[in-house]
Amino acid sequence: MKRVTYLFLGVLIAACTSIDCPVESNVATLYQVCHSDGTELKLSDTITVTTKTASDSDTIVYNKGIGISSFALPISYKHPEDVLVFNFDNDNNSLHISDTVWIKKEDYPHFESVDCSAAFFHIITDVRYTCNYIDSIVIKNPSVTYDSKTVHFYFYPKSSN
């Protein structure tokens, strides 16, 4: 009887999953701020980014970035298009400019193990934007996963800013 019990425990332990869930499970897009020649640029103005929630209220997704050359923004997993409002201000309040950015994407579920939380990865298919402060936004890598170091967008402000 003991042998059957030990055998059963051995089979049970061998059947357990050995997949480790990712520690960094945030799915976000990374923007690299660039000069028109492609070199890195630090924004001299303050940037705040907002979006609408499911209840149609504004929420801040990035707050008061100053002197930054890159920034990460979360991405939704239920909407085919994210709408972001980029607000730019300077220290003496003489500048307040807003641009709206629309990001179209395809969402797909990502499964690692039943022990891990559910996740959605994305393929960015298009980006549109207004051009008050922004000169252009270019898709560099359309695949959005857990990788927090991959640049997804090159962000080019107008040269006068």
Side-chain angles (χ1 to χ4, degrees), residues 42-68:
K42 285 193 179 197
L43 288 177
S44 58
D45 300 314
T46 303
I47 180 174
T48 298
V49 182
T50 61
T51 191
K52 296 272 186 195
T53 62
S55 62
D56 205 36
S57 61
D58 285 340
T59 187
I60 296 173
V61 293
Y62 189 82
N63 195 24
K64 296 187 178 181
I66 302 171
I68 58 168

Side-chain angles (χ1 to χ4, degrees), residues 25-56:
S25 60
N26 292 333
V27 178
T29 54
L30 183 61
Y31 293 74
Q32 177 68 54
V33 184
C34 300
H35 286 283
S36 60
D37 64 1
T39 59
E40 183 178 295
L41 169 68
K42 285 193 179 197
L43 288 177
S44 58
D45 300 314
T46 303
I47 180 174
T48 298
V49 182
T50 61
T51 191
K52 296 272 186 195
T53 62
S55 62
D56 205 36

Side-chain angles (χ1 to χ4, degrees), residues 30-36 38-49 68-71 73 85-88 99-101 127 129-130 132-140 151-158 161:
L30 183 61
Y31 293 74
Q32 177 68 54
V33 184
C34 300
H35 286 283
S36 60
T39 59
E40 183 178 295
L41 169 68
K42 285 193 179 197
L43 288 177
S44 58
D45 300 314
T46 303
I47 180 174
T48 298
V49 182
I68 58 168
S69 59
S70 65
F71 55 96
L73 297 177
V85 178
F86 287 59
N87 298 292
F88 302 93
D99 275 310
T100 303
V101 177
V127 62
Y129 44 86
T130 58
N132 299 316
Y133 186 96
I134 298 171
D135 180 61
S136 63
I137 298 176
V138 177
I139 300 170
K140 180 184 185 302
V151 175
H152 300 98
F153 296 103
Y154 286 142
F155 176 89
Y156 298 94
K158 288 186 176 178
N161 296 321

Side-chain angles (χ1 to χ4, degrees), residues 66-114:
I66 302 171
I68 58 168
S69 59
S70 65
F71 55 96
L73 297 177
I75 192 164
S76 72
Y77 61 90
K78 288 188 175 186
H79 305 290
E81 184 174 62
D82 288 352
V83 180
L84 304 168
V85 178
F86 287 59
N87 298 292
F88 302 93
D89 296 292
N90 62 10
D91 290 338
N92 59 14
N93 292 324
S94 64
L95 171 76
H96 179 76
I97 299 175
S98 294
D99 275 310
T100 303
V101 177
W102 296 267
I103 300 170
K104 282 193 176 190
K105 60 194 176 50
E106 295 174 2
D107 309 324
Y108 62 96
H110 173 72
F111 179 78
E112 288 196 33
S113 167
V114 293

